Amino acid sequence: MGALSIEELIRQSPRLGSLPDIVGELNAAADDPQSSVADLAGIIRRDPALSARLLAIVNSPWYGLRGEVADIERAVSLAGTQQLRFLALSTVIVRQFTNLPNALVTMDTFWKHSFTCAVAARALAESAGERDRERYFLGGLLHDIGSLLIYTTLPSLAKEAILHARSQNQPIYQAEQLIFGFDHAEAGGALLRHWGLPESLAATVEGHHELGDTGHFGREKALVHLANGIANAIHPSNTLFRQPLNSDPAAWGLAGLDTDQLDATLAAMDERVAEAMGVFYFAA
């Protein structure tokens, strides 16, 4: 068994354990059927840095809106309430945790892997006909947030798990289960629930290695699981080794995709990751 439960782990990490108040306000407004575009825009406008960043994002080639958008309310109207909500959450979370110190992984390495997964999840969701593509982007972006929780709170045990995974040529999450009694996917899902984010996101993060109950947000889990396989093959989350593209074969069917669509997803991946990091990460 691990030294701490996941709940204790979260309590011992005050920086990761809480998000700015605006996150709760955005979630409440986006989930309230009585809220209007103006309500959501009003919340975003109270954070000038967030407003500026969101306008830069929706006007970027990465996002792909036609014509210049100069006002947050117009951005919400064009992109949609849910899409802007997930873009805003992505922006706030990256800004909050860009410079989180730890001795096990550089933030550039961590976020490059995370953005690769996010971009792949967004592309796969689009191929699968999903309209809420920014929800999948955020799920991909946060899929390894539990690793940051572990690295910053249990650095010695985290290093032990990394070394065990390397020596046994074993996936890191299996080494974590052996040493902690839980893995970073479970820790990440619990952290997102603690933050009050939607259950669809928490379940997706929790199931990005082992799909588990596929009746519970199975398609979301499958798409981010596949995206993580792509990200591990292109930009691993640590410097252990570049892994072969290895995903649960059942995930393709759950996602409503087939392997023939993989080449289209991989096309220009580095360019799209660089564009996403340019608007979310390097500007944070």
Side-chain angles (χ1 to χ4, degrees):
M1 290 295 292
L4 293 175
S5 69
I6 297 176
E7 292 72 22
E8 290 168 329
L9 199 65
I10 293 170
R11 282 197 295 271
Q12 291 194 20
S13 182
R15 184 166 172 188
L16 273 165
S18 62
L19 289 176
D21 291 343
I22 194 170
V23 171
E25 295 177 47
L26 285 170
N27 279 324
D31 289 336
D32 183 354
Q34 302 302 314
S35 287
S36 65
V37 166
D39 292 331
L40 193 66
I43 294 169
I44 293 169
R45 280 198 196 99
R46 295 207 304 270
D47 185 329
L50 175 60
S51 298
R53 181 58 20 217
L54 283 175
L55 286 175
I57 289 167
V58 298
N59 282 303
S60 70
W62 175 82
Y63 195 71
L65 284 182
R66 293 182 179 178
E68 184 177 355
V69 180
D71 179 77
I72 283 294
E73 189 165 337
R74 175 71 171 156
V76 176
S77 178
L78 285 174
T81 298
Q82 293 301 324
Q83 301 300 313
L84 251 293
R85 168 210 206 168
F86 292 123
L87 284 175
L89 291 175
S90 299
T91 303
V92 170
I93 290 166
V94 170
R95 184 175 65 183
Q96 179 93 343
F97 304 125
T98 295
N99 297 310
L100 195 67
N102 73 90
L104 296 171
V105 64
T106 70
M107 286 294 91
D108 283 352
T109 298
F110 175 84
W111 285 113
K112 190 164 192 177
H113 171 77
S114 297
F115 274 102
T116 304
C117 184
V119 168
R122 187 178 190 255
L124 289 170
E126 193 167 9
S127 294
E130 290 285 343
R131 297 183 62 188
D132 245 0
R133 58 185 185 174
E134 306 314 335
R135 175 160 59 98
Y136 292 93
F137 180 85
L138 182 56
L141 189 66
L142 298 182
H143 77 288
D144 273 352
I145 197 71
S147 294
L148 282 188
L149 182 62
I150 290 168
Y151 293 162
T152 56
T153 311
L154 299 173
S156 296
L157 285 176
K159 185 175 183 179
E160 183 181 339
I162 289 171
L163 293 174
H164 180 86
R166 176 188 290 165
S167 67
Q168 301 299 312
N169 195 26
Q170 183 181 47
I172 185 65
Y173 75 92
Q174 292 179 0
E176 290 168 347
Q177 289 168 354
L178 179 68
I179 291 168
F180 308 140
F182 56 84
D183 60 38
H184 66 273
E186 294 172 279
L191 182 61
L192 266 61
R193 292 186 182 97
H194 178 78
W195 286 346
L197 297 190
E199 177 60 20
S200 61
L201 283 171
T204 297
V205 167
E206 191 172 61
H208 79 267
H209 283 300
E210 296 181 332
L211 298 175
D213 177 9
T214 55
H216 185 59
F217 302 109
R219 194 177 204 197
E220 289 89 339
K221 292 177 187 177
L223 284 163
V224 173
H225 171 80
L226 293 170
N228 183 52
I230 291 169
N232 279 333
I234 299 173
H235 297 299
S237 56
N238 54 56
T239 55
L240 293 180
F241 41 77
R242 186 174 295 236
Q243 301 174 47
L245 203 161
N246 185 22
S247 300
D248 184 339
W252 290 100
L254 276 170
L257 296 168
D258 58 58
T259 54
D260 291 342
Q261 291 163 291
L262 184 58
D263 287 344
T265 302
L266 292 174
M269 178 62 71
D270 280 338
E271 180 181 344
R272 286 185 287 167
V273 171
E275 287 176 350
M277 292 188 75
V279 294
F280 284 97
Y281 179 64
F282 293 123

